[in-house]
Amino acid sequence: MTAQYDAIVIGAGHNGLTAAAYLARAGRKVLVLERRHIIGGAAVTEEIFPGFKYSVCSYVVSLLRPEIIRDLELARHGLEMLPLDGTFTPMPNGDHLWRTDDPAQTFRAIARHSRIDAEAYDKYGRAMVEMGRFAKPLLAMTPPDPFKPRMADVRALRGILKRFRALPDDERYNQLQLLTMSAADFLDQWFETDVLKATMAASGIIGTFLGVRSPGTAYVLLHHYMGDIDGAFRSWGLARGGTGAVSDAIAAAAVTAGATIRVNAAVGKILVKDGRATGVALENGNEFHAPVVLSSVDPRLTFQKMVGEPLLPSDFVDDIRRYKFRGSSGKVNLALDALPDFTALKGPGAHLRGAISISPGMEYMERAYDDAKYGQFSRRPYIDIVIPSLTDASVAPPGKHVMSCFVQYAPYELSEGPAAWDRQGEAFGDAVVNTIAEYAPNLKDIILHRQVLTPLDIERDFGLSEGNIFQGELSLEQLFFLRPAPGWAGYRTPIERLYLCGSAAHPGGGIMGAPGMNAAKRVIADTKVKKR
Ligand SMILES: Cc1cc2nc3c(=O)[nH]c(=O)nc-3n(C[C@H](O)[C@H](O)[C@H](O)COP(=O)(O)OP(=O)(O)OC[C@H]3O[C@@H](n4cnc5c(N)ncnc54)[C@H](O)[C@@H]3O)c2cc1C
């Protein structure tokens, strides 16, 4: 059969769509095949309960690359970002910590707990922004290969080294600390207030099977400082209409540029002839042919399931088998009849419009991890809550609300095995609601509907192996030139003309679009028709 398309993209998550949009804009005929009935992958909005639109998985946006927003004209295609200001942490003793983007308010809020910390906070923020500035360009680049370096790799490595050497001494030292320390140890050097450190440390553990005291988690603190909403460094925002609106806008850009997107089209196999990708076969047997295939699903699905290990080099197979997923997160989405009323700060104030963090202390956070280490979900978990309906009226009926609760830890590997999640899912949902109700006692009375997503659900429904929210842990040994395997961080794979373009490729997970954009650029460069 002759190829109808120049490229096929497996999966219509936001990265697959981003790759498709860049390829289509470069004049390539692109077909995107999506297993689910709806596009978006983990960046999706669904009306699970009538009138209430849940951002089912991802719920806040920060890392989406500004150049993608510009290049794909996402605002013109319907994307509107709304700011999410502040983090409110209620405490068991009835006190609270509430930080916002207003430096004076935050200074006063922290000074109630510690004057020393209030003074250190601004300095810390500036140091993290500076470190983010060093690391940010790495997100947009194809990682150089230090294992079999070509000239371009050597040049890129030299460039990074040169920028590193140009940093002031203290920043270089900070960078090395971030790479080696735990979030707890790193923050201990700056602050003394337990609730402040615990809430800040939380961003170090998201999507990893690590605790706040595990080495390497300090780096992930930085990952969460590299965001940018409308030019405001580090800030987090909501997409009007839920995170599905990000995927929808990217899809609109792709379709406008000529791409075709098909849903209910599960790819079962990547077709390979003489070591080269030639197309895909759907699970229903239909085949589509193209000289280039990009996969936005994770490496286990791409290589072990769709390509098949016998067609791959054995050292690469070993690396992919070793690649760690270890999902550790769950999600509880609630439809509410009214707003939760927190004992620590009563009433429907602005503190409910930002993030609400159940992270009252370091010991609490580490104990939540202890449960997970021994194959249990956290009885008292870390929970990151947002109530998007307070900022975006389109997601709930008037006077009603949606509440998104991101939860750690929910280990995929329960002590009785992952299948036990089907028996324990509701108990997990209860643990989440009971924990929040300790701080907001009216919660149980105002719940109209509850959606519980266990890591097993995340795997089954969204195709994320072991329920890992980032298509593989964002731990240091799986980042940059090691993602997803040494020697294969440049979007190419051992199968010629098969590329990775999802979160399992550099720079990893989060609604970022960078893997999709970088992979598309790689494909465009590799398949450029040479002028005579
Ligand atoms: C619970 C949860 C909460 C999160 N919270 C946040 C957050 O608040 N902020 C943030 O920035 N990030 C968050 N993330 C991470 C972020 O959502 C993901 O990293 C990102 O959306 C992944 O995008 P992707 O396109 O790389 O992959 P995916 O979104 O995983 O897309 C892959 C697509 O491939 C499809 N697919 C799978 N198998 C097949 C097949 N056989 N054939 C065809 N298609 C197939 C899937 O259905 C999916 O649509 C969260 C993730 C989860 C799961």
Side-chain angles (χ1 to χ4, degrees):
M1 197 195 285
T2 49
Q4 254 183 298
Y5 297 98
D6 298 319
I8 292 171
V9 179
I10 303 171
H14 83 288
N15 274 314
L17 293 166
T18 302
Y22 274 91
L23 288 169
R25 286 164 61 91
R28 310 297 161 94
K29 270 198 95 186
V30 188
L31 172 65
V32 185
L33 297 168
E34 167 56 44
R35 185 180 69 113
R36 295 193 74 210
H37 62 286
I38 183 173
I39 63 160
V44 71
T45 308
E46 291 184 71
E47 193 171 324
I48 304 287
F49 184 62
F52 294 83
K53 293 182 186 151
Y54 293 146
S55 285
V56 178
C57 292
S58 56
Y59 52 105
V60 284
V61 184
S62 162
L63 300 165
L64 185 60
R65 304 294 304 152
E67 62 269 37
I68 295 178
I69 299 177
R70 274 194 312 271
D71 292 349
L72 303 185
E73 301 175 277
L74 296 187
R76 185 167 75 82
H77 290 294
L79 179 63
E80 189 187 344
M81 292 307 304
L82 307 166
L84 182 80
D85 185 16
T87 303
F88 166 62
T89 313
M91 295 162 64
N93 64 3
D95 201 350
H96 68 273
L97 174 68
W98 179 29
R99 294 172 293 140
T100 67
D101 284 345
D102 173 357
Q105 185 278 337
T106 297
F107 184 92
R108 286 193 301 275
I110 299 175
R112 282 181 49 242
H113 298 272
S114 158
R115 176 101 200 165
I116 295 171
D117 284 1
E119 276 156 16
Y121 188 77
D122 185 46
K123 202 167 157 224
Y124 172 88
R126 275 186 277 122
M128 291 301 270
V129 166
E130 282 314 314
M131 285 189 275
R133 248 186 256 288
F134 172 79
K136 243 179 141 181
L138 304 180
L139 298 182
M141 76 188 294
T142 296
D145 184 355
F147 304 101
K148 289 187 197 131
R150 298 186 214 183
M151 266 323 283
D153 298 311
V154 174
R155 267 199 303 274
L157 286 165
R158 270 207 205 115
I160 297 170
L161 196 62
K162 197 169 155 203
R163 288 206 306 114
F164 182 74
R165 285 165 66 176
L167 292 175
D169 284 353
D170 57 337
E171 276 181 40
R172 266 190 272 167
Y173 183 51
N174 281 341
Q175 294 282 0
L176 292 177
Q177 285 195 327
L178 279 180
L179 289 176
T180 50
M181 292 178 86
S182 71
D185 286 344
F186 186 75
L187 290 164
D188 273 345
Q189 301 181 132
W190 288 86
F191 305 111
E192 59 183 17
T193 308
D194 195 32
V195 63
L196 175 66
K197 287 188 285 188
T199 304
M200 294 173 86
S203 52
I205 56 162
I206 286 177
T208 69
F209 195 83
L210 296 170
V212 287
R213 293 184 178 138
S214 311
T217 46
Y219 165 76
V220 193
L221 292 178
L222 187 62
H223 198 83
H224 292 264
Y225 261 87
M226 289 192 277
D228 193 336
I229 297 290
D230 286 340
F233 207 64
R234 193 223 173 276
S235 36
W236 289 89
L238 298 169
R240 187 184 293 283
T243 55
V246 177
S247 306
D248 290 345
I250 300 172
V255 170
T256 304
T260 305
I261 302 170
R262 285 201 189 191
V263 294
N264 297 313
V267 172
K269 209 168 154 26
I270 294 171
L271 304 173
V272 178
K273 197 169 175 225
D274 301 329
R276 199 180 174 115
T278 59
V280 300
L282 298 190
E283 282 176 359
N284 67 12
N286 288 349
E287 290 190 3
F288 294 92
H289 296 255
V292 171
V293 176
L294 298 94
S295 172
S296 74
V297 302
D298 67 46
R300 185 176 289 172
L301 293 179
T302 302
F303 298 110
Q304 292 178 294
K305 180 165 176 252
M306 295 178 182
V307 172
E309 293 185 351
L311 296 186
L312 295 160
S314 58
D315 54 345
F316 181 76
V317 169
D318 289 343
D319 287 334
I320 296 302
R321 283 189 191 161
R322 265 197 295 269
Y323 183 76
K324 283 186 292 184
F325 291 95
R326 305 195 304 181
S328 58
S329 325
K331 185 92 193 286
V332 175
N333 295 310
L334 300 174
L336 301 181
D337 204 15
L339 284 169
D341 196 14
F342 283 83
T343 315
L345 197 54
K346 291 191 74 62
H351 60 294
L352 301 183
R353 288 176 177 269
I356 302 165
S357 184
I358 306 296
S359 50
M362 281 294 191
E363 188 177 321
Y364 178 100
M365 299 293 280
E366 192 65 13
R367 283 191 190 282
Y369 180 49
D370 286 345
D371 287 335
K373 278 191 296 201
Y374 302 107
Q376 311 286 321
F377 61 77
S378 309
R379 266 39 196 179
R380 287 171 161 210
Y382 156 65
I383 311 172
D384 189 36
I385 303 167
V386 294
I387 308 177
S389 45
L390 276 172
T391 312
D392 173 8
S394 75
V395 294
K400 316 277 182 207
H401 292 281
V402 286
M403 182 158 141
S404 156
C405 311
F406 177 85
V407 189
Q408 256 178 249
Y409 296 83
Y412 177 79
E413 275 298 339
L414 287 174
S415 52
E416 298 158 63
W421 270 114
D422 282 337
R423 297 189 299 278
Q424 297 196 25
E426 288 309 312
F428 168 65
D430 290 344
V432 173
V433 169
N434 289 338
T435 301
I436 303 172
E438 286 177 22
Y439 302 90
N442 71 333
L443 181 67
K444 290 184 193 171
D445 301 330
I446 57 173
I447 297 175
L448 299 171
H449 176 261
R450 175 171 101 175
Q451 180 195 34
V452 178
L453 228 62
T454 70
L456 185 63
D457 297 323
I458 293 174
E459 177 179 66
R460 273 191 305 229
D461 299 348
F462 295 92
L464 290 161
S465 293
E466 297 182 26
N468 185 286
I469 66 167
F470 294 141
Q471 293 193 358
E473 273 190 274
L474 287 189
S475 45
L476 282 171
E477 74 281 12
Q478 301 197 156
L479 289 177
F480 204 47
F481 45 67
L482 300 171
R483 193 169 184 89
W488 295 105
Y491 310 99
R492 295 187 185 124
T493 71
I495 302 292
E496 224 183 302
R497 298 290 150 108
L498 170 64
Y499 296 81
L500 277 189
C501 68
S503 304
H506 171 76
I511 305 176
M512 215 185 311
M517 174 184 70
N518 292 356
K521 288 183 177 170
R522 175 82 274 151
V523 170
I524 292 165
D526 284 357
T527 57
K528 210 173 248 165
V529 181
K530 290 201 177 71
K531 288 201 181 110
R532 289 175 179 234

